[in-house]
Amino acid sequence: MEASRELEAPDESSEGGLSGFIKSILPGEDTSDESSSEQAQAGSGQPKDPKQEKRDKELSNSVKESIIYWHGEDKIPETLDQTKEVLTEVMGLGASFDVVFREMFLGGRKTGLLLISGFAKDVVLDEILKRLTYLTPNDMSSDALAAFMHEYIPHIQVEKAEELSVAINQALAGMSVLFIEGESRVIIMDTRLYPVRGPEEPSIERVVRGARDGFTETLLSNIALVRRRLRDPGLKFELHKVGRRTQTDVSIAYIDDIVDKTQVKAVVDKMKSINIEGIPLADKQLEEAIIGENWNPYPMVRYSERPDVVASHLLEGRVVLFVDTSPSVMVIPTTFFDLCQHAEENRQTPLMGSYLRWVRLAGIFASIFLLPLWMLLVIHPELKPPMLEFIGPQKNAKLPLLAQFLIIEFGVDLLRMAAVHTPTPLGSAMGLIAAILIGDIAVKTGLFVNEVVLYMAVAAIGMFATPSYELGLANRIVRLLLLLATGFFGVAGLVIASTLFIILLTVNRSYNSSYLWPFIPFNAKAMGAILFRVPVLSAKTRPSFDKTRDNTRMPLSDGNKDKS
């Protein structure tokens, strides 16, 4: 029968059929296996490995879902062999070289130690294992896990877990997990050591006088920098995980007896409701998930890389979010005027701090309105007072004025991006190219007028002097829109666009708090504290903007106590 099928096969030659016939009558030859392999190579639909088919069908979005898919339940397997099978499919044991599962006999019990080699602190693990290897079966009690945990593991941060998903997530976070044969629980030991750089001075929030330590990419280090400045027992750090796959550590910090608990609950509830696979870009993605989807260019939170600034905001009653792998933290809520303040103002005397604040506010105002106002006076010379005749332009250029502004706006942004990506040794060369080859030659060839370059430079300096990088970028977008409105519609365009700009800032809410406070709603005392750097002993109360439970910074005087 097999020989006839071989000879009658329409897709084989006569020589192939004869060869198949001879092989079929020879002893010891199994033509069915060869035929099956040929059919498999030709894609004839031979059944695949059931386990491989199960792998191909898996669409788990989290560790827990994957464990239930392979193990049926989220419990610790009874044997280490079952544990290894689940870890092989869920965690890539054997496929990923940095996933280690070390099997040992400790105290007469078979155990397995699960860890990520890149996160393990060798010194701590060596000390733990050195002590456990001296155990004998006589040293063990009936409850082996309790004996290991409470008597024989010389480590501080040790906990138990009953779910396999918890154990795997902790192992992926850098912990070491000890499995014991026959036990339904595991021991989790914090033996991690993350790759970390030392605290350095923040590149954006530099100060002439003041601390030089800034946040790093490690969550625990950032929390320690704040703890060093705030030794208040009321300072709380709640830990949460965000992202089904990334399981990113996020810590919410606040001072318990100062902060508005309603605001804390709102942030926590919003964070728990986030259903996203991960936030690999850390704080920015978390901000968008918490604040909500919108195209508003203005930042609704304040970013800071300085521990002293964050400590000051905590004392004011703000909520601070630390995200692991991010060297900056989020302060919630914030206002437009908060984003205009800098730590340098508080490092100087009240008079000099106030002066620096005025100069900075003037620069921010110029970065928004200087170019549109000058272009309006050029388009409508009748609006120009006689005393401002010198502002030009003294001569005309080959390009329209609006086109000059648009080209130079995009040129400044291009130079800014190029400066970020240019290696440090080549930075001076790029500056020469921008200043001489582009700016000077563009003016001499008649493409631009001198005044356009001058006022654009002033506006750019005001943008760079803005303490908040996000606020500077938002102001730059508003300036561009004001230029377009002024160029196309003149006085009416500038007035309407400026009005819409103020309305935009007014309707903005940073976690149900007014974005323009204390200007809208107006608070004279708080507005004075914005315009003038108030001495420390004069600031006896916290800003009402934060709705704090305890509004006093210093004890009330006897006179005030009598009045109250």
Side-chain angles (χ1 to χ4, degrees), residues 346-363:
N346 297 301
R347 294 288 181 178
Q348 306 298 329
T349 62
L351 178 60
M352 293 308 303
S354 300
Y355 169 74
L356 294 176
R357 188 170 294 180
W358 296 340
V359 173
R360 183 170 285 112
L361 290 174

Side-chain angles (χ1 to χ4, degrees), residues 106-109 135-145 147-148 152:
L106 301 174
R109 300 294 297 270
L135 297 179
T136 63
N138 296 329
D139 298 326
M140 302 299 296
S141 61
S142 58
D143 191 348
L145 185 135
F148 275 122
Y152 302 118

Side-chain angles (χ1 to χ4, degrees), residues 55-330:
R55 293 191 190 103
D56 296 339
K57 294 179 180 179
E58 183 180 6
L59 295 174
S60 303
N61 288 322
S62 64
V63 172
K64 186 174 183 178
E65 291 181 8
S66 183
I67 291 173
I68 295 175
Y69 181 80
W70 287 101
H71 187 51
E73 57 183 358
D74 188 19
K75 294 183 179 180
I76 306 299
E78 297 180 356
T79 65
L80 291 185
D81 291 336
Q82 293 180 353
T83 302
K84 289 174 62 178
E85 291 180 3
V86 178
L87 294 179
T88 299
E89 302 299 338
V90 175
M91 201 174 174
L93 179 63
S96 299
F97 74 93
D98 61 335
V99 180
V100 178
F101 188 77
R102 179 76 164 86
E103 297 183 67
M104 298 167 286
F105 278 92
L106 301 174
R109 300 294 297 270
K110 187 178 180 181
T111 63
L113 184 64
L114 175 66
L115 55 91
I116 303 295
S117 60
F119 293 150
K121 189 183 297 184
D122 297 339
V123 177
V124 176
L125 278 177
D126 288 344
E127 289 297 326
I128 294 175
L129 295 178
K130 187 185 298 183
R131 182 165 181 174
L132 293 179
T133 52
Y134 291 130
L135 297 179
T136 63
N138 296 329
D139 298 326
M140 302 299 296
S141 61
S142 58
D143 191 348
L145 185 135
F148 275 122
M149 185 169 181
H150 298 296
E151 299 179 24
Y152 302 118
I153 295 181
H155 194 56
I156 299 175
Q157 297 178 340
V158 181
E159 60 182 9
K160 295 180 290 186
E162 298 181 356
E163 295 83 16
L164 185 57
S165 61
V166 174
I168 292 179
N169 282 326
Q170 294 289 59
L172 292 173
M175 309 285 194
S176 298
V177 183
L178 183 64
F179 293 84
I180 304 174
E181 183 85 20
E183 293 287 344
S184 60
R185 295 172 296 175
V186 296
I187 299 176
I188 299 175
M189 301 170 288
D190 189 356
T191 59
R192 56 188 166 181
L193 179 65
Y194 287 148
V196 59
R197 63 180 176 91
E200 301 173 355
E201 184 177 9
S203 58
I204 296 179
E205 298 176 278
R206 292 179 179 271
V207 294
V208 177
R209 296 180 60 84
R212 304 288 189 230
D213 56 343
F215 291 128
T216 65
E217 290 77 14
T218 306
L219 179 65
L220 292 178
S221 299
N222 295 341
I223 291 176
L225 289 173
V226 177
R227 279 283 190 190
R228 185 180 179 185
R229 290 165 169 82
L230 278 179
R231 303 177 185 180
D232 188 343
L235 178 59
K236 308 296 183 184
F237 290 94
E238 296 182 8
L239 188 63
H240 301 269
K241 292 186 181 294
V242 178
R244 299 188 305 269
R245 293 182 181 272
T246 60
Q247 291 288 303
T248 306
D249 291 327
V250 179
S251 178
I252 301 178
Y254 57 90
I255 299 180
D256 188 63
D257 55 334
I258 296 178
V259 74
D260 180 13
K261 289 297 188 67
T262 304
Q263 193 174 80
V264 175
K265 185 178 184 302
V267 176
V268 173
D269 292 344
K270 185 66 176 179
M271 189 178 304
K272 289 182 178 179
S273 67
I274 297 174
N275 186 14
I276 188 174
E277 64 177 1
I279 50 173
L281 298 182
D283 48 6
K284 185 57 185 176
Q285 289 182 324
L286 180 64
E287 176 204 341
E288 294 182 6
I290 290 178
I291 300 300
E293 299 179 2
N294 59 71
W295 290 89
N296 181 13
Y298 279 89
M300 295 293 102
V301 302
R302 179 178 181 178
Y303 288 99
S304 179
E305 299 180 8
R306 297 189 61 87
D308 50 0
V309 172
V310 172
S312 299
H313 282 301
L314 285 171
L315 288 173
E316 291 180 354
R318 308 290 177 93
V319 179
V320 177
L321 295 180
F322 294 78
V323 184
D324 194 26
T325 72
S326 174
S328 59
V329 303
M330 289 189 291

Side-chain angles (χ1 to χ4, degrees), residues 355-420:
Y355 169 74
L356 294 176
R357 188 170 294 180
W358 296 340
V359 173
R360 183 170 285 112
L361 290 174
I364 295 173
F365 182 85
S367 68
I368 301 175
F369 294 104
L370 178 63
L371 294 184
L373 286 174
W374 182 79
M375 189 170 69
L376 179 65
L377 295 179
V378 174
I379 297 175
H380 298 279
E382 67 277 6
L383 300 176
K384 188 188 305 182
M387 65 178 64
L388 296 181
E389 288 295 336
F390 65 92
I391 65 174
Q394 305 300 329
K395 60 180 180 178
N396 296 326
K398 298 178 181 178
L399 295 176
L401 193 60
L402 182 59
Q404 295 180 48
F405 276 120
L406 294 179
I407 292 174
I408 202 168
E409 282 276 4
F410 295 131
V412 169
D413 281 340
L414 188 61
L415 290 173
R416 178 180 54 81
M417 290 186 288
V420 174

